[in-house]
Amino acid sequence: MLNIRNLHTKYGPISVIRNVSLHVDEGETVCLIGANGAGKTTLLLTISGLIKPSSGSIVFDGNEISGMRPERVVQLGISQAPEGRQIFAPLSVLENLRLGAFHRHGKNREENIARDLNEVFRLFPRLHEKREQMAGTLSGGEQQMLAIGRAIMANPRLLLLDEPSLGLAPRLVDTIMDTIKTLNNRGITILLVEQNAKKALKISNRGYVLETGRIILQGKSSELSEDSEVRRAYLGKDYKEISQRH
Amino acid sequence: MENDKVEYLPEDAWRQWHTELLQSTVNRVYERMPFYKKVLDEAGIRPEEIRSMEDLKALPFTSRTDLASNYPYGFFAVPLRDIVRIHTLGTSASTNPIVLGYTAQDLNNRKWLTRRFLVTCGVTPEDIVQICLDPGMAIPGQDLKEGAEALGALVIPPDPLSTKTRLQVLVDFKTSVLITTPSYARYLMRHLVQNGLPLASLSLKRLILVGETLDEETRREIELGLDMETRAGYGVSEATGPGLAYECPCKCGLHLSLDHIIPEVIDPCSGQQLGPGHWGELAITTVTTRSNPLIRFRTGDLTRLNIEPCECGRTTWRMAPVRGRTDGLLAIRGVLIDPADTSNLIAMWAGGKRLPFLMVLSDKDYLTRLELWIAINEEIFSGSLPHSTTG
């Protein structure tokens, strides 16, 4: 479904993504793990068109989308729930959700949007309860639900999730992770960026480990979560010892 | 990806996956292994310049000498505490052995690769699998044992038993699959005939042949002589073990485990990469090995590649059965012997004196034997040589 080949992205003269190749097959949940500054968010932003790559190819469903405008990328079926949620605080929950469907058209537009709104409210009953409330007054967990709900309103086939567990209480993290699993079971393919590597590996099929803009390891999530190096570096086991090799 | 699905991936999926695996492997070895950082820097190659499988041919080769000269732990890409097993191989021209380490994941991969090899060769959980390999093949012997156990078969592991006892086990334990070398299969066949054992009374239904070159004539002779099917497997101890390549029911080449290695065939003299169909030396890049990753490891085995999909539906490339060596090493009953090591050994016995010698291979009772003919002179008899440096 998504094939990335030899992607390079720079911020000015600084290379952030260095020759990254990865793929996501239809129906998969794939996670990207790595330390702060490894380039995970930049990679997602490059896929969704918010940052232009300096070179490389991103093919989605046979279409080259590298460097394409973000609204066109959304129309093709990719939407992103950004890190830090980025919701519109002065607008209501409902208005935020409807904004997620801004690009949708066709004669059954309103009907389809209403159906998907119901779907989001079924997934997140809290959003239904607070649908008229200003989004800025929601708790962190609710804002995260709103960010994911807004991304779903774009009716994506591939959902990019950037740190959905960031800043949430452990119980809410589990709720969000369960929701991601549910979305995947409903047929949405997911590319997940997470610092909580343990949780991310638990709900994904495969994973890539990003280190200073390069992929240094990949594999089935079950293998990566058992890998000593991954456990030390990203799962909180003896972090200090990563450098004490020889 | 599930093992049974991965062998059937379409060509473009392989291309994407191999590009990813090659890039992450080069990134990892460059960051984690001083040896590869040095050779890549010397060759003027930066990891981010690897853009496709085409760029593989720009990378430097790795030889058995490179492995041995980084003795003991210089070829490890992970901390020693991640290694759960170590094997040594004495096949290099250097005096140091090759040290191979395995992480828990490496061992798991070897086990599942061997399991896939055996399953593809028709072994089932109902089988009684007897492994008859020389002690020199201890590493593949252990891998085969673990792979057969992983698929649920009853396994009789390699034992230093006499041929008579092995035959007794074969008959009394109702062995249904025998894993051995082609030469030992012929040797056993002769013993079976000599002892007047009726072949029809054996439970044996399949032979899996490993460790040596297998020409069509030998294969036909074994299949006709024992009236049963044979399948072949190929492995490299330094790489992923015995599950590296194996035959499907079509028996038209050995399917390579492309999910764990990237194979290529090169001209052994110039090092130039050769296209499919050309005979040359097999070089292997391992793409999942954590402990001792290898970039373009020169196996010394002579083969050719077929990249067309197989009639069985598998899309994994196939290699022709190995038909010889390119590096002067002798493969005897699955064990590689380096004439240079033999020369060193004789010199040690002869107090440092280099004596001319001949290595004579003979085929006695179908079993390959190595005789060493050493030219001696008066000094040897008179005892005037310096004392031997060995015990």
Side-chain angles (χ1 to χ4, degrees):
Chain A
M1 177 183 245
L2 179 77
N3 280 350
I4 299 179
R5 209 66 89 78
N6 307 320
L7 194 71
H8 289 259
T9 302
K10 288 180 175 178
Y11 287 133
I14 300 162
S15 286
V16 183
I17 298 295
R18 303 173 193 206
N19 204 32
V20 162
S21 300
L22 65 81
H23 72 279
V24 184
D25 288 332
E26 185 138 27
E28 276 192 308
T29 296
V30 172
C31 71
L32 275 174
I33 56 176
N36 254 336
K40 305 186 296 294
T41 296
T42 307
L43 184 54
L44 289 197
L45 294 174
T46 313
I47 297 170
S48 49
L50 290 160
I51 298 178
K52 278 204 186 320
S54 45
S55 64
S57 130
I58 307 172
V59 175
F60 177 66
D61 273 349
N63 298 306
E64 177 63 61
I65 61 163
S66 163
M68 201 177 260
R69 292 165 63 87
E71 57 270 29
R72 182 85 188 100
V73 174
V74 174
Q75 267 168 356
L76 285 173
I78 300 179
S79 73
Q80 178 173 359
E83 184 183 357
R85 298 134 207 173
Q86 313 265 350
I87 55 159
F88 299 100
L91 301 184
S92 72
V93 168
L94 198 58
E95 285 165 334
N96 265 279
L97 288 173
R98 291 189 69 88
L99 274 172
F102 78 95
H103 66 290
R104 293 170 68 171
H105 50 75
K107 70 174 185 211
N108 298 326
R109 179 178 190 270
E110 284 308 314
E111 213 173 288
N112 292 340
I113 288 175
R115 187 199 59 213
D116 288 350
L117 260 177
N118 277 335
E119 191 66 22
V120 171
F121 289 144
R122 238 202 334 267
L123 212 53
F124 302 112
R126 292 292 288 272
L127 295 185
H128 185 251
E129 286 166 27
K130 302 190 172 183
R131 61 189 180 280
E132 301 300 341
Q133 200 169 310
M134 265 169 61
T137 63
L138 298 179
S139 71
E142 289 163 350
Q143 289 189 9
Q144 187 59 62
M145 290 173 196
L146 180 55
I148 295 175
R150 187 180 55 188
I152 297 170
M153 286 305 293
N155 193 24
R157 294 182 49 236
L158 173 65
L159 182 60
L160 311 177
L161 295 172
D162 194 357
E163 304 280 5
S165 77
L166 195 69
L168 300 186
R171 200 169 48 81
L172 272 172
V173 172
D174 288 341
T175 309
I176 294 291
M177 292 296 161
D178 286 345
T179 309
I180 296 170
K181 254 166 71 177
T182 308
L183 290 172
N184 184 236
N185 290 339
R186 290 183 188 179
I188 302 180
T189 305
I190 288 165
L191 179 57
L192 169 69
V193 156
E194 255 299 340
Q195 280 209 39
N196 191 335
K198 194 175 174 179
K199 300 272 185 201
L201 289 170
K202 208 170 163 187
I203 62 160
S204 55
N205 308 99
R206 293 187 299 116
Y208 292 87
V209 180
L210 210 56
E211 194 177 281
T212 57
R214 302 181 179 97
I215 288 170
I216 56 131
L217 198 59
Q218 72 227 77
K220 288 183 213 160
S221 297
S222 56
E223 288 171 5
L224 290 178
S225 54
E226 290 302 316
D227 187 277
S228 302
E229 200 171 330
V230 172
R231 286 167 77 92
R232 271 197 302 278
Y234 308 111
L235 302 179
K237 312 270 183 202
D238 310 326
Y239 181 76
K240 268 188 285 185
E241 292 179 42
I242 184 75
S243 56
Q244 296 167 2
R245 291 203 299 118
H246 295 291
Chain B
M1 192 164 300
E2 294 303 320
N3 274 343
D4 51 347
K5 287 187 195 155
V6 76
E7 295 175 283
Y8 301 91
L9 284 179
E11 192 194 344
D12 54 344
W14 275 121
R15 206 177 306 123
Q16 171 75 27
W17 205 14
H18 269 168
T19 303
E20 291 175 16
L21 287 166
L22 180 62
Q23 286 175 346
S24 62
T25 299
V26 174
N27 285 339
R28 202 165 63 248
V29 299
Y30 188 81
E31 292 295 325
R32 307 283 195 267
M33 297 175 76
F35 169 81
Y36 279 122
K37 181 170 189 329
K38 185 166 173 280
V39 294
L40 288 170
D41 283 345
E42 281 170 1
I45 298 166
R46 288 181 302 135
E48 47 263 48
E49 289 169 1
I50 307 298
R51 300 174 57 79
S52 71
M53 290 282 289
E54 280 295 296
D55 296 321
L56 180 65
K57 56 178 180 254
L59 296 171
F61 291 109
T62 308
S63 67
R64 289 194 165 86
T65 312
D66 292 326
L67 288 172
S69 46
N70 280 282
Y71 175 88
Y73 297 142
F75 224 90
F76 285 3
V78 295
L80 202 53
R81 61 196 289 263
D82 292 353
I83 308 283
V84 296
R85 187 191 292 172
I86 275 179
H87 282 303
T88 56
L89 283 177
T91 54
S92 86
S94 151
T95 49
N96 282 331
I98 291 170
V99 181
L100 302 170
Y102 308 92
T103 65
Q105 188 61 51
D106 289 335
L107 287 180
N108 205 35
N109 284 344
R110 285 174 89 90
K111 182 168 74 185
W112 285 96
L113 273 174
T114 311
R115 180 189 184 276
R116 183 169 71 187
F117 152 37
L118 296 176
V119 168
T120 310
C121 289
V123 182
T124 68
E126 282 72 41
D127 276 313
I128 298 177
V129 179
Q130 185 175 350
I131 306 169
C132 290
L133 295 172
D134 274 5
M137 288 187 73
I139 303 176
Q142 188 164 3
D143 288 325
L144 287 161
K145 175 185 90 75
E146 289 178 2
E149 284 172 355
L151 77 85
L154 191 163
V155 185
I156 304 163
D159 271 319
L161 299 172
S162 67
T163 297
K164 190 173 163 230
T165 318
R166 280 173 170 175
L167 277 176
Q168 189 184 348
V169 169
L170 185 80
V171 175
D172 294 347
F173 290 20
K174 301 193 186 318
T175 299
S176 58
V177 176
L178 178 67
I179 306 178
T180 191
T181 56
S183 63
Y184 196 71
R186 291 170 79 212
Y187 182 67
L188 274 184
M189 191 169 79
R190 185 184 165 87
H191 270 255
L192 279 167
V193 174
Q194 272 177 353
N195 293 330
L197 286 167
L199 292 176
S201 69
L202 291 178
S203 305
L204 197 60
K205 61 180 187 206
R206 183 168 286 128
L207 271 168
I208 298 178
L209 302 169
V210 295
E212 289 175 342
T213 56
L214 178 63
D215 57 73
E216 273 310 305
E217 198 185 329
T218 307
R219 181 170 210 162
R220 230 179 353 259
E221 184 192 335
I222 295 170
E223 289 192 339
L224 286 173
L226 289 172
D227 189 24
M228 69 185 60
E229 195 194 16
T230 62
R231 293 285 182 88
Y234 170 79
V236 176
S237 288
E238 291 88 343
T240 51
L244 199 140
Y246 43 82
E247 275 182 336
C248 68
C250 301
K251 294 202 276 190
C252 49
L254 292 90
H255 287 275
L256 287 144
S257 292
L258 294 189
D259 45 344
H260 292 267
I261 56 146
I262 301 175
E264 57 186 318
V265 163
I266 57 160
D267 180 322
C269 300
S270 68
Q272 287 268 321
Q273 197 182 66
L274 301 173
H278 293 277
W279 287 94
E281 181 179 353
L282 181 70
I284 283 166
T285 298
T286 61
V287 287
T288 55
T289 306
R290 301 303 317 282
S291 176
N292 307 117
L294 297 170
I295 303 288
R296 305 190 84 196
F297 176 69
R298 294 185 64 155
T299 64
D301 286 323
L302 190 63
T303 186
R304 66 178 173 190
L305 295 181
N306 179 354
I307 63 168
E308 297 302 319
C310 179
E311 275 177 40
C312 72
R314 286 179 180 81
T315 55
T316 45
W317 301 349
R318 285 165 286 159
M319 62 181 274
V322 170
R323 77 172 186 196
R325 300 279 311 168
T326 60
D327 55 6
L329 299 191
L330 301 170
I332 300 165
R333 290 191 236 164
V335 180
L336 292 180
I337 296 174
D338 187 345
D341 284 341
T342 313
S343 173
N344 289 341
L345 203 61
I346 296 169
M348 278 197 287
W349 286 330
K353 210 125 179 114
R354 294 272 167 195
L355 299 173
F357 67 98
L358 260 181
M359 297 172 90
V360 181
L361 291 176
S362 59
D363 202 5
K364 194 177 172 191
D365 287 348
Y366 298 122
L367 203 56
T368 312
R369 288 168 193 275
L370 171 65
E371 287 176 15
L372 203 55
W373 294 19
I374 304 170
I376 54 173
N377 54 22
E378 270 182 31
E379 273 183 301
I380 304 276
F381 290 115
S382 63
S384 58
L385 281 174
H387 197 67
S388 162
T389 51
T390 58

